[in-house]
Amino acid sequence: MLKFILRRIVIMIPQLFLLSILVFLLAKAMPGDALTGRLANNPKMDAQTLAEMKEKLGLNDPPYVQYVRWIKNLMQGDLGISYIHQQPVTDLLSERIGNTLLLSACILILSYIIAIPLGIVSGRWTNSLADKLIVGYSYLSFATPLFIFALLMLFVFGFILGWFPTGGSVNIQVEKGTVDYYISKINHLILPSLSGALLSTVGTIQYLRNEIIDTKIKDFVKTARAKGVPESRIYSRHILRNSFLPIAAFLGYEITGLIGGSIFLESIFSYPGIGQLFLQSIMQRDYSVITALVMISGLATLLGTLLSDIILSAVDPRIRIE
Amino acid sequence: MSKQPILQIENLRVSFRIHDEYYAAVDGVSLTVNENEVVAIVGESGCGKSALALSIMGLHPLERTKLEGTIAFKGKNLLPLSVPQLNQIRGKDIGMIFQDPLTALNPLMSVGRQIEESMDYHTKLSSSAKRQRTLELLKRVGIPNPEKTYDRYPHELSGGMRQRIVIAIAIACEPSLIIADEPTTALDVTIQAQIMGLLKELQQQMKTGIILITHDLGVVAEMADRVAVMYAGEIVELADVNTLFSRPLHPYTRSLLHSIPSVQTRKEKLHVIQGIVPSLQKLPRTGCRFKSRISWIDESEHEKNPILREVAPGHWVRCTCYKNFYFPQDNIGDMNYGIS
Amino acid sequence: MAFLKVNHLKVYYPVRGGFFRRVIDYVRAVDDVSFELEQGETYGLVGESGCGKTTTGRTIIGLIKATAGEILLEGKDLTKLSRREFYHYRKDIQMIFQDPYSSLNPRKRVLDIIAEPLRNFEKLSPQEEKRKVQYFVEKVGLHPESIYKYPHEFSGGQRQRIGIARALTLNPKLIIADEPVSALDVSVQAQVLNFMKEIQKEFQLTYLFISHDLGIIRHMCDRIGIMYRGQFVEEGTSEEIFHDPQHIYTKRLISAIPNPNPQHRQEQVKLRQEIDKEYHNSYHQYFDAEGRVYPLKRISETHSVAIP
Amino acid sequence: SSTSSNKEPNQNKQTSQKEDISKFPIAVKNDGKLVDGVLTYGLVYDTPFEGTLSRAFYEGQPDAEVLQFFDEPLLRMNENYEITNDGAATYELSNDKKTITIKIKDNVNWHDGEPVKAEDLEYAYLVIGNKDYTGVRYGDALIQDIVGMEEYHSGKTNKISGIKVIDDKTLSITWKHANPSVLTGIWTSPLPKHYLKDIPIKQLAQSDKIRKNPIGFGPFKIKKIVPGESVEFVRNDDYWEGKPNLKGVIVKVVSPKVVLQSLKKGEIDIAEFPTDQYVNAKGTKNIQFIGAIDLAYNYIGFKLGHWDAKKQENVMDNPKFQNKKLRQAMAYAIDNQAVADKLYHGLRFPATTLIPPSFPGYYDKTAKGYSYNPEKAKKLLDEAGYKDKDGDGLREDPNGKKFTINFLSMSGGDIAEPLAKFYIQCWKDVGLDVQLVDGRLAEFNSFYDMVEKDDPKVDVFAAAWYTGTDVDPYGLYGRDVMFNYSRWVNDKNDELLEKGHSEQAFDTEYRKEIYNQWQELMNEEVPVIPTLYRSIIYAVNNRVKNYSADVYQFNWKWKDVGVTSETPEVE
Amino acid sequence: MKAELGGPQQVEVQTEKSPSSFSIMWRELVRDKLALGSLILLSIILLIVYGSSLILDKEEIVKVDLLSIYAPPSSEHWLGTDYGGRDIFGQLIIGARNSFTIGLAITLITGFIGLTVGLIAGYFGGVVDNIIMRIIDFILVLPFLMLVIVFVAIVPKYNVFTFILIMSAFLWTGKARLIRAKTLAERELDYVSASKTLGTPDWKIIVREILPNLSSIIIVNLTLNLAGNIGIESGLSYLGFGLPESTPSLGTLVSYAMNPDVLQNKWWVWLPASLLILVMMLCINFIGQALKRAADARQRLG
Ligand SMILES: Nc1ncnc2c1ncn2[C@@H]1O[C@H](COP(=O)(O)OP(=O)(O)OP(=O)(O)O)[C@@H](O)[C@H]1O
Ligand SMILES: Nc1ncnc2c1ncn2[C@@H]1O[C@H](COP(=O)(O)OP(=O)(O)OP(=O)(O)O)[C@@H](O)[C@H]1O
Ligand SMILES: [Mg+2]
Ligand SMILES: [Mg+2]
Ligand code: NI
């Protein structure tokens, strides 16, 4: 098992290396740099100082020199300094990544909480009215753009009904570590994560439904029935466990999707996380942050697939990892 | 010696819905299985053997299947029972063995647990007692290392082992009837021989009745007490095993027996049954269903509405078309064969 | 000279493992197998599932690469040929597949299926092609009109015939039949077996007949090789194998066949038990310390057994 | 001084109404009685604030808005953005106008109780001038002009000879040249030396003392920061000007998309309000809108040459638009009034000169600019030889060749596209074939990349400048100034700009006269066409008292701002 | 973003091995009232959209008219106007055409690439497969948004065509995986071995033997994908990297709803486009589901 994980991680290294080159080249290929047109609020600047600053930031070095410098630091765990935030990228990320992880985890959990029962109902009672409604909902959610939906949620539940806070990740007036603090955190999470979750159920519902339909006609289910196992146990013990396999396998890939979705959610709900940070850095050409984020999300994707494999091997005895 | 009937099937019809219409895959089958008796059902693929077996267990998808007639298990009709009621009987009084031992086992559950599972619902044993019993069962079906095997998963076992597990599941609660749907078809001959031996041995020990579905006449000859030959949803011939092999009457039974190459005798040419089994929708529903496949027997020889007749004690044949069909090696005249 | 001579054929499948997924071991699917086929005979290959029958057959026809050994067809070693050269020998060896459902492309008409080899090897006009296809279709006992139908419109036995017609179009000398009837229903098996015998005479075919059903082997084959874990345990004529089996494995195999005579039930069971006992008692006489069989030893003109 | 807008507001409005910024109140009206309450201030941005909470280091506007609560410059400004003696310090200018002496008032203390000292201001200069300094403030000409600054910057000295700490509270700064910009642009924000001195300058910007626990001497103290999203302030009882009215202030980021709703719900009390949403927000009962003209203008520039980085000067070598009449014609052809009224509902209005009315002292009220006059435009084009010779409705150049103008415009916000389209249509109406560069609007970075690098694909570009408080246009139009994006060079221009910040220009009348001449010159030569002036609007909850729309706080103070009820009014 | 749905693992579709699968598909489609209705509705929509976009003057529609900004629906502007005074109805028609064309083109291009790559990887297996799969894995970890920005910035003319190419460059991987998996299964079947023994060259086996057998899952997959691809540019429009406004698209219209004022008060700008996307997606989905049932014997309605 350990060997397997190690092996997979070793395989990741060249991938990440390639990714690093590509990302670096892309970052450089984007028009403009961190200083382009960006001195909007510093009206007093002369060409010489600007050149001096570019020099200081290393923007004048040939790209390969910049790359080597970057990769060297990267390997020592130094992600560089954000130009825009004037802060080491590691610090910046540690401020933000917690929020995104929390949000993503909530979305994931919520979407499973919503999707799994629906998928089960719809797979178990195929072609029933409930099934049709659920399938209808899953199409609808598939067809609705996330940002519109999130905005509507925000207006309805945040403003019109006023049930939830409309921005930020926590109320600043509560003391960190108190019960109130955690309640406030959760309260701020509900709306964005629910918006994300409601729209990201379609995959899970459909997979689960298909999988149950497939599994319920398998021979071993017949065997279980022939044993006299009650219907509810047939589902809980035999069909569902088998049907969850592809969902478990999908879990790792979900991570990629979450990073994409967080860009929208974070900007609509003013929730400071890395999605928003990524967008901001892209817009402002904050190279060190962009490259760090891409590397991290690449790593997350790779680890996600690894995670999927590990989960899969944990639940499926047929897949043994030596 | 009079035997207690445990299962009495009367006039069973099993119909499946295809394109909004129901087609009978099992059509008016009556069959009795006595205690401590092995009844074999043979026939070509698609003749309705499995459909018959599944209907006893109530395992057909309810929304697409229509069941008519009666299936009386120890005098109690199973057909009107609800699923929870059936669950009282399934696994406890009737056990089932499926054809493919790999797909018949849940890949995600240890085999020990799978055997134990039926005890969960049919006995009040403590978990250690259940485990104890499972280990015994494993030993009984000839698994060399029960303790170790208990925690194994199906894919870790060989085909023969798996089939033993399936058998262990079927006999876990000492049922009085076992339905074995092609239990050895997927296995090699040597393994097949072992499994057959095991089944026979268990049957003799437990005095259970067995419905053995197969298309291998060799297996039938070795295992069965009585044989029912099915064709196109109907039983065309029913007799005890010796009679059936020595004096087959229905042309279909005869053809089957002659078309199989045997190790003992080498023929230059095998007997060929013309044509194919028609699909469910195209099945002839009137007259002798085998008619179209024996062109050398004249139309008029077949009955209009063939029924299963007892032509000799315990020997039942459908349709009289066999009568003028002469087989030199048979000595019909010798016996009291007549048409009642 | 033998028509087909297989010499010390080995086919190993690599097993990967370890940190770098390197090959750590091999599955010895075929491990040093030698046999010969004479023109016009039917040679049976029998054994338990997984013993390497299919692999042997597929290696001979070139679907699998041999790890070592020679396959001599009329003296020419097929394993040493380049792809291009092998192309010319293609015509001489054809194959009948086990599953008549998956061996015919469901999307093609019978005409296209049967004409496929013709299109590869001969440039025929559409008329000629059709005529030739129709000739073979009739030869295998199907209606000439059938050529415009699709495989799903035929029964298993008919499909198998289509497969045979396809194999015949190139006038092959050797046909490898890998369990040609095991997927067929009992009542249809006979059709195909009879038919195979017929065309063998007509086209002077040599069969390498693979099966695990000893009844069928007995019915079809002149000579038989019994395989066990990639090796031969016994080889001989049909008579010799069935009436005078020498190797305990062969005996066991034969005794396991169910006897279709209910009267002999008791004896059959007894025989089986005896042989099982013998198998356990004298195991080490037949298998070496690793459970592998010994090299074949000739005990008569035609009969060889793997005993030390 | 210079810059650009990266926040092209979103636009819109009902066709009929038209607003007029001059009719907006500058200050809120509230006659209620003050209570001791906490006010919530909204940072209306799509992105979190960066959190570089130091005047010497911040770059983003959100940070600046956070800074105003706990830190301030030592010298305050009047409505002409000139320093006064009302602030935490007083100043005196020497007779030669080259030396300023700043005296910090006695009761001015940092939030940790330490007094603000002269060495703190010196320290600010030492940081900014240091070669390890990571911020952008050193670009200021006024800072570089300090005697000894260059030597210090290059590392030759470790003190700036032009800056002298006279005593604990007094300091003088001497420049090489006398420049009236001193009055509007002098740096007077000290850094708490006692607090920061142990941190290497290179790491100041990233240190916790600036990012997490910054101190200032402003009316409020930072209590807590949630990075990127909110800051909690409490009253600084020790504020030099007296105890502030508010018990505390909460600053939090609010997305522009929901700012109106947040205001209606009372979630925030004050926010800079996106002008494009004003028409819908108008009439909201629980809030008042106050506004002023912004220190900015939009313009359309012609690419007349390129920037020679080696020589550090602009070279006017692009022949395409050298003909003044062509430029004038293009200016006459566009209907800015329509744009202002229809697209901006009057919250932007046609610009007439390059000094916006937010500089009341220098804005030339008499300037006519270029009002919409397509006939005149056509006439000028005819005169210049741009005639339609092949009858396709589009003019060819004087040589009869196809004449296509490539127009670069920035994307962002809804209005960008129709605006660009509208200009193109306007020009087409007078027979000019104008096409968007690459057929599309350019994204912010691409836009400035092309403009700064004088991409030959670009003939004409639409951009905007924030002017800052210093009226001096040199930083945007000087010969050796990189931000002179049109690369226009002209002797008269050089002369006027030079005079504009000469010692003589300390005389406001003189300076005004010079800048009037300059505005006239620019209008005549039109290297850039001024198009629109902008407004800035604040939405303020009715409970807020003493707040005003002028960003530079010349007639109000945060100390005086208060609330008249415990909780915000809700609609 | 939404395009993820196609996802790394496609829904398993069991292929029915029968040549008349087209007729089965058709039968299944006709049998399913919902699917049939969807097909008819979709055809009508497409007819109107493609038909009338021939008549409409695109220049006129995208022309800025400052006199009728945000005009509510009226007889002159059936669905009102946007902030540029441009007719929404006209934009809706042209937008629908563009969006559908984009969706279709992306679907086809990704289908083609995915098919080619998947077939090659699946058929040859071994090293080839390994290399291709590594490439696909790699593409999966690429930062999509960033690449789009870079591409948008460096392509000289950013229009429908380049947009299609950019999106296609990323979205083929899912399909390649699916096809590969199917091909892997298919090549194990004996008819492929048969063709090999008959001397048929590899490329012919791929094209003539395997490909036709994948047709039903390809059709099903492409149909369902088409639904996903129609709204694909709306997310990018939100981020500011959608199509230029001179090229109206449904996504652009929908993304106007980002402006809270438009969202709340000017329904005519974004709602019709949203509904149109929804209706088209639902229609295509229903058709796709019916096709899928046709391809999967167990789920057929009968
Ligand atoms: N659930 C079902 N729905 C529709 N038709 C069915 C169903 N199950 C079986 N059939 C049809 O009923 C007939 C009888 O099937 P059954 O499975 O009983 O045959 P069998 O004799 O067991 O054949 P085999 O030897 O192949 O197992 C066949 O024609 C089959 O196609
Ligand atoms: N592609 C492969 N890779 C690895 N091992 C293989 C492969 N194909 C076959 N084997 C192994 O090689 C051995 C021989 O297989 P083969 O298919 O030749 O057996 P067989 O005698 O034809 O069996 P059956 O009767 O089941 O068809 C088996 O152990 C099998 O698991
Ligand atoms: Mg069956
Ligand atoms: Mg095989
Ligand atoms: Ni009859």
Side-chain angles (χ1 to χ4, degrees), chain C residues 61-262:
Chain C
I61 200 169
L63 284 172
I64 300 173
K65 236 177 97 56
T67 311
E70 297 174 316
I71 301 167
L72 302 163
L73 184 75
E74 296 179 318
K76 186 92 185 153
D77 189 352
L78 300 181
T79 57
K80 306 262 179 336
L81 297 182
S82 69
R83 258 176 91 100
R84 189 156 267 287
E85 290 169 311
F86 191 76
Y87 188 74
H88 299 288
Y89 287 88
R90 267 271 130 84
K91 295 160 96 168
D92 293 343
I93 312 178
Q94 281 300 312
M95 188 153 182
I96 302 172
F97 292 87
Q98 173 173 7
D99 183 357
Y101 296 88
S102 76
S103 62
L104 302 181
N105 189 339
R107 302 291 160 140
K108 285 167 76 177
R109 292 177 305 173
V110 171
L111 171 67
D112 300 316
I113 291 174
I114 298 180
E116 183 180 343
L118 291 176
R119 290 173 189 165
N120 288 335
F121 287 97
E122 291 166 39
K123 294 268 166 288
L124 297 177
S125 72
Q127 283 80 7
E128 280 175 319
E129 186 186 279
K130 200 173 119 188
R131 214 169 315 122
K132 199 154 182 186
V133 169
Q134 254 163 352
Y135 167 78
F136 281 106
V137 166
E138 276 175 79
K139 265 278 160 274
V140 298
L142 298 175
H143 197 273
E145 285 301 300
S146 315
I147 58 168
Y148 296 114
K149 290 191 182 170
Y150 286 91
H152 78 284
E153 297 169 71
F154 296 90
S155 72
Q158 286 171 322
R159 287 175 183 227
Q160 208 58 317
R161 285 158 181 253
I162 295 169
I164 294 170
R166 172 174 63 186
L168 290 178
T169 46
L170 291 174
N171 285 320
K173 296 173 181 151
L174 171 66
I175 287 190
I176 297 170
D178 187 359
E179 315 218 11
V181 293
S182 67
L184 300 177
D185 210 357
V186 265
S187 59
V188 189
Q189 275 187 10
Q191 262 185 18
V192 175
L193 294 178
N194 285 347
F195 174 70
M196 281 183 69
K197 279 196 154 185
E198 277 167 35
I199 58 163
Q200 179 168 32
K201 286 197 196 103
E202 189 176 342
F203 292 93
Q204 298 284 301
L205 296 171
T206 308
Y207 284 139
L208 177 62
F209 196 101
I210 298 171
S211 179
H212 62 249
D213 187 325
L214 288 158
I216 292 171
I217 288 284
R218 161 98 168 136
H219 177 74
M220 294 295 292
C221 302
D222 307 316
R223 290 198 304 127
I224 297 168
I226 312 275
M227 272 185 94
Y228 175 76
R229 298 212 188 153
Q231 288 172 305
F232 268 34
V233 292
E234 193 160 357
E235 186 188 33
T237 63
S238 197
E239 287 305 302
E240 284 162 347
I241 296 289
F242 282 98
H243 291 129
D244 184 23
Q246 292 297 310
H247 200 277
I248 184 64
Y249 179 74
T250 317
K251 291 183 194 167
R252 205 169 168 230
L253 208 59
I254 291 169
S255 76
I257 306 165
N259 191 336
N261 188 341

Side-chain angles (χ1 to χ4, degrees), chain C residues 48-55 58 98 178-179 210-212:
Chain C
E48 276 179 89
S49 153
C51 68
K53 308 182 294 288
T54 301
T55 309
R58 290 190 173 231
Q98 173 173 7
D178 187 359
E179 315 218 11
I210 298 171
S211 179
H212 62 249

Side-chain angles (χ1 to χ4, degrees), chain B residues 250-251 287-291 294 297 301-303 306 318-322:
Chain B
H250 196 278
C288 181
R289 298 189 178 187
F290 194 58
K291 189 162 64 184
I294 30 171
I297 293 185
E301 304 279 340
H302 301 282
E303 280 182 67
R318 188 181 292 268
C319 191
T320 52
C321 53
Y322 68 90

Side-chain angles (χ1 to χ4, degrees), chain A:
Chain A
M1 182 73 176
L2 195 71
K3 217 164 123 194
F4 166 81
I5 296 175
L6 261 162
R7 201 176 74 81
R8 286 285 299 260
I9 290 173
V10 170
I11 291 176
M12 278 179 202
I13 292 173
Q15 290 209 21
L16 285 174
F17 178 68
L18 219 69
L19 180 65
S20 75
I21 294 181
L22 192 80
V23 162
F24 193 82
L25 290 179
L26 285 173
K28 292 291 157 193
M30 290 192 289
D33 58 34
L35 296 173
T36 304
R38 186 139 297 108
L39 301 160
N41 300 297
N42 178 54
K44 307 179 175 188
M45 173 60 76
D46 65 341
Q48 217 173 337
T49 315
L50 199 64
E52 216 171 90
M53 289 196 64
K54 280 201 182 190
E55 188 66 45
K56 238 191 261 180
L57 289 171
L59 296 173
N60 290 339
D61 294 341
Y64 68 91
V65 175
Q66 295 187 37
Y67 175 74
V68 169
R69 184 169 51 217
W70 172 64
I71 200 89
K72 244 195 217 148
N73 289 336
L74 191 69
M75 281 190 280
Q76 290 157 5
D78 176 6
L79 297 175
I81 289 181
S82 155
Y83 172 72
I84 299 297
H85 295 263
Q86 303 194 37
Q87 183 184 14
V89 175
T90 34
D91 292 3
L92 187 60
L93 289 187
S94 61
E95 267 171 23
R96 301 285 175 82
I97 209 159
N99 281 338
T100 299
L101 287 181
L102 201 62
L103 181 62
S104 303
C106 272
I107 293 177
L108 210 58
I109 291 166
L110 268 178
S111 89
Y112 283 146
I113 289 179
I114 298 166
I116 288 176
L118 293 185
I120 291 174
V121 167
S122 143
R124 182 165 175 181
W125 289 284
T126 338
N127 287 331
S128 66
L129 180 67
D131 175 36
K132 290 198 168 113
L133 288 176
I134 291 166
V135 170
Y137 152 71
S138 73
Y139 289 166
L140 263 173
S141 71
F142 179 51
T144 312
L146 176 58
F147 60 97
I148 300 255
F149 183 70
L151 265 176
L152 285 173
M153 290 282 282
L154 179 61
F155 275 99
V156 174
F157 295 104
F159 290 113
I160 298 174
L161 298 173
W163 294 352
F164 300 106
T166 53
S169 69
V170 71
N171 182 350
I172 186 151
Q173 283 157 303
V174 294
E175 223 27 76
K176 200 165 183 164
T178 61
V179 180
D180 281 350
Y181 178 81
Y182 293 108
I183 291 178
S184 168
K185 275 215 109 127
I186 292 169
N187 210 14
H188 280 77
L189 263 175
I190 294 176
L191 214 44
S193 51
L194 202 62
S195 309
L198 279 174
L199 289 197
S200 59
T201 53
V202 57
T204 312
I205 291 181
Q206 295 272 318
Y207 278 117
L208 198 53
R209 180 173 181 274
N210 283 327
E211 211 47 45
I212 290 176
I213 291 173
D214 280 357
T215 313
K216 72 182 179 184
I217 56 164
K218 290 236 167 97
D219 273 356
F220 70 84
V221 176
K222 265 189 205 153
T223 309
R225 290 214 168 91
K227 275 189 269 192
V229 181
E231 201 64 6
S232 58
R233 286 300 196 92
I234 297 258
Y235 273 90
S236 61
R237 276 211 187 162
H238 294 279
I239 298 181
L240 294 184
R241 253 186 88 184
N242 288 274
S243 305
F244 282 149
L245 287 183
I247 294 187
F250 203 55
L251 183 76
Y253 293 104
E254 294 268 359
I255 293 173
T256 333
L258 285 173
I259 294 172
S262 64
I263 291 181
F264 295 92
L265 288 172
E266 287 174 7
S267 87
I268 285 168
F269 292 97
S270 301
Y271 195 87
I274 56 169
Q276 210 184 10
L277 181 65
F278 182 59
L279 199 58
Q280 185 185 7
S281 309
I282 286 258
M283 300 299 177
Q284 306 185 345
R285 304 295 187 261
D286 199 354
Y287 295 137
S288 44
V289 182
I290 299 173
T291 46
L293 281 174
V294 171
M295 292 308 286
I296 284 175
S297 75
L299 189 68
T301 313
L302 290 174
L303 289 177
T305 47
L306 178 61
L307 184 72
S308 282
D309 288 350
I310 293 172
I311 293 175
L312 210 53
S313 78
V315 282
D316 191 342
R318 284 168 298 184
I319 302 171
R320 258 224 317 274
I321 292 173
E322 73 278 7

